[in-house]
Amino acid sequence: MKVETLLFLVAAAIFSLTVVRSSPDASYFWHIPDVHMEKDYVVNSATSEHCLRGSSSTSPAGTYGAFNCDLPERTYEAALIWLKANYPNPAFVLWGGDSISHWFLELNNSLVAWHMKRVNDLLDSYIPKGTKILPTLGNHDTVNFQIPVLPGGDPWLYDLSAELWGKYLSDESKKTIALGGYFSERVGPGLLVVGFNTAVFYQENKLVKEDDPDPFGQFAWMRSTLTAARQAGDKVLVFSHIPPGYTLGMSAYIPVFNGRVLTALEGFEDVILGSFWGHNHMDSIVMMGEKGVFHPGFLTGSIAEYQANPAVKVFHFDAQKRVLLDYSVAYMDLLASNSQGKPIWVESYQATKAFGIKDLTTASMLQAIKYLDSNRTALVQFYDRMNSHAPKPLDPCEDFCQMVL
C-alpha cells in the first residue's frame, strides 16, 4: 500500500517569550538529539580544520564552539545546566542519538563507547534520581555508520546500549534493546514511549540488506506493539533518530526502507499522539499519514552547532488526559557566548503562541500548517530560523528550498 507523507519545514519564531511553566496538572519532558560531542575540540584552533588542529587569526575556534565544528563538552554541559535551571523535573528524557562527532582524529568501538558513556553520564548527573532516560541510536553512534543487524551481526553496539541504558528500562525493554535497539516503555498511566531503531536504515549502512523485508523483526514488533496499545486503551509517543519522508527532496534512508518504516506506523493515528525525531539538525514538523488521516511528528534541532546555534526543546503534556500541550525552544547565541565568555541563552518560541493553536493535537498542527501554507513570506521566514537563528546557516533557503516550501 502506498503511504503518502507530507513534510512541512516549520522553524520558528519571531516571538519574544518567557520560559513556559507547566500548570500543576501538566508534565514535561526533554528531547535531546544530536549532541555530536567532540572530545578533541581545541579552543583557538582553525575552524577550517573542524576545530581539531591548526590555528587561525581570522576564524579561531571559540570557547563554546564554532559553526563549522562539533560540540565542546562545556557547551553540552551548559545546555544541561540551562535545562536543569528552567525545567528541573522532567517526567522523562528522550535521548535522541548521535553522541559521536562528525569529524574525528580516530574512531573505533572503544572510542564510540567512551563518547556514548560520557554523554549519558553527564545527562544523568543533571536529572533527578529515578528519571528515565529513554534512548535511541543515531547513525553516528558507531564506526563509519555501520549499524549491525542481529542475529548474525556483531552484537557489540546493542550490548553497549543495554549496559548504558538498562538501568532506566523495564526488563522487557532491556531485552529488546539488546536484540536490536528498540523498546516499549510505560511512562505513565495509559502512556507508552515506543522506541524505534531507524539508524540501521541509514543510506551508508552496508550491514543491512535491502531484500531483508524486516531486519530484527522490528516492523512486525512495532505493529504488534501498537495493536496491543490500542486494545489496552493506551496512547503512544513514537521515538527514533532518523525521520522518514523527504527533506528538501532527499531521504536519509536506504530508499526501500522509507516506505517500510511508514507502513509500520500506518493506521495507528488514533493511538500515536506524536512522533519525535532528530538527525536533520533543524526544528521542524512532519505530518505522517494517508487519505487525510495523520499524526504529528516533531523534529528537534541539535545541540551540536555544526549548522546551527545549540538548541534545546521541551515538550509539555497532560499526563492524565494524555494530550500533548505545547513545546518551547531555547538556543545559545554562539557568537555572543564566545564574545562574552559565558553561555548566553535566548528563549526562541513557544509553539502554541507562535502558530496560534491551543495544543499539539493533530487538528491543531494541521491548523498551524494551514496558517503557514497560506503565508509564503512567513513560511520562508520560519525556514530562516530553523537553524536556531544562526547568522549564516550552511543551508540557506534559496531557489530549490523555496520551490519545495
Side-chain angles (χ1 to χ4, degrees):
M1 180 178 294
K2 182 180 179 182
V3 180
E4 297 177 356
T5 301
L6 302 180
L7 179 60
F8 296 86
L9 300 179
V10 183
I14 48 179
F15 301 87
S16 175
L17 303 175
T18 57
V19 172
V20 178
R21 303 297 181 188
S22 292
S23 62
D25 59 346
S27 300
Y28 55 83
F29 60 88
W30 303 353
H31 183 202
I32 304 177
D34 299 286
V35 168
H36 294 289
M37 193 177 76
E38 178 52 76
K39 76 178 186 67
D40 296 315
Y41 185 96
V42 180
V43 175
N44 293 325
S45 62
T47 56
S48 61
E49 297 288 342
H50 304 302
C51 305
L52 298 174
R53 58 175 75 82
S55 61
S56 173
S57 59
T58 58
S59 182
T63 299
Y64 290 98
F67 290 117
N68 197 41
C69 304
D70 276 326
L71 197 74
E73 182 176 305
R74 68 176 62 84
T75 306
Y76 173 47
E77 192 160 15
L80 297 176
I81 290 170
W82 189 91
L83 282 166
K84 182 176 181 178
N86 291 281
Y87 300 97
N89 296 298
F92 52 89
V93 177
L94 298 183
W95 168 248
D98 273 6
S99 301
I100 316 302
S101 172
H102 294 91
W103 303 278
F104 35 81
L105 300 178
E106 60 176 324
L107 192 64
N108 53 44
N109 290 2
S110 295
L111 285 171
V112 169
W114 183 90
H115 273 88
M116 291 174 66
K117 185 176 188 304
R118 180 61 179 160
V119 167
N120 187 74
D121 286 351
L122 281 170
L123 173 57
D124 186 82
S125 71
Y126 282 94
I127 58 176
K129 185 177 181 180
T131 304
K132 291 183 177 182
I133 298 175
L134 305 178
T136 192
L137 291 168
N139 52 296
H140 283 273
D141 293 328
T142 187
V143 179
N144 296 328
F145 311 118
Q146 301 309 294
I147 306 285
V149 178
L150 304 179
D154 186 341
W156 75 274
L157 185 57
Y158 305 111
D159 291 344
L160 172 63
S161 299
E163 176 186 343
L164 279 179
W165 296 303
K167 64 181 179 181
Y168 308 110
L169 303 172
S170 66
D171 289 344
E172 181 61 25
S173 293
K174 185 176 179 180
K175 177 182 175 182
T176 56
I177 283 279
L179 288 174
Y182 55 92
F183 66 90
S184 174
E185 187 77 7
R186 189 167 297 279
V187 293
L191 186 61
L192 304 172
V193 171
V194 176
F196 203 18
N197 178 3
T198 55
V200 71
F201 307 127
Y202 185 59
Q203 58 189 347
E204 300 294 331
N205 187 17
K206 308 302 183 185
L207 300 181
V208 64
K209 305 299 183 184
E210 290 189 42
D211 59 359
D212 183 347
D214 192 1
F216 309 108
Q218 188 178 201
F219 297 138
W221 171 87
M222 173 63 81
R223 293 192 68 81
S224 175
T225 299
L226 293 173
T227 297
R230 174 183 283 152
Q231 293 171 345
D234 291 332
K235 298 296 182 182
V236 170
L237 308 176
V238 172
F239 168 54
S240 194
H241 181 68
I242 304 176
Y246 295 84
T247 302
L248 300 184
M250 298 174 288
S251 174
Y253 285 8
I254 297 169
V256 68
F257 288 109
N258 191 72
R260 293 176 187 174
V261 168
L262 291 167
T263 298
L265 304 177
E266 176 195 346
F268 292 99
E269 292 81 8
D270 60 317
V271 177
I272 300 171
L273 296 181
S275 54
F276 304 85
W277 315 87
H279 183 69
N280 289 353
H281 292 218
M282 292 183 176
D283 183 47
S284 52
I285 296 169
V286 56
M287 300 300 293
M288 298 183 188
E290 65 164 1
K291 298 178 181 178
V293 182
F294 306 101
H295 82 259
F298 304 95
L299 278 66
T300 291
S302 62
I303 292 182
E305 64 234 353
Y306 168 54
Q307 294 182 331
N309 280 308
V312 294
K313 182 181 280 187
V314 176
F315 285 87
H316 305 260
F317 69 103
D318 189 315
Q320 293 185 344
K321 296 180 180 178
R322 300 175 300 170
V323 174
L324 290 171
L325 298 174
D326 207 350
Y327 67 76
S328 51
V329 177
Y331 69 94
M332 178 193 284
D333 185 324
L334 188 58
L335 296 181
S337 298
N338 284 335
S339 174
Q340 299 183 38
K342 62 181 181 180
I344 305 297
W345 286 91
V346 180
E347 295 150 13
S348 179
Y349 78 108
Q350 179 183 342
T352 52
K353 290 186 178 180
F355 306 135
I357 54 179
K358 66 177 183 179
D359 52 34
L360 305 184
T361 59
T362 297
S364 291
M365 297 317 299
L366 287 171
Q367 178 184 335
I369 287 169
K370 186 177 294 185
Y371 158 70
L372 290 165
D373 191 43
S374 65
N375 189 331
R376 185 175 181 79
T377 299
L379 185 57
V380 174
Q381 288 175 341
F382 285 142
Y383 177 84
D384 290 339
R385 293 166 175 83
M386 291 179 72
N387 298 285
S388 304
H389 307 263
K392 291 184 179 180
L394 295 184
D395 297 313
C397 190
E398 296 177 342
D399 293 344
F400 178 67
C401 160
Q402 292 189 32
M403 178 183 69
V404 173
L405 290 178

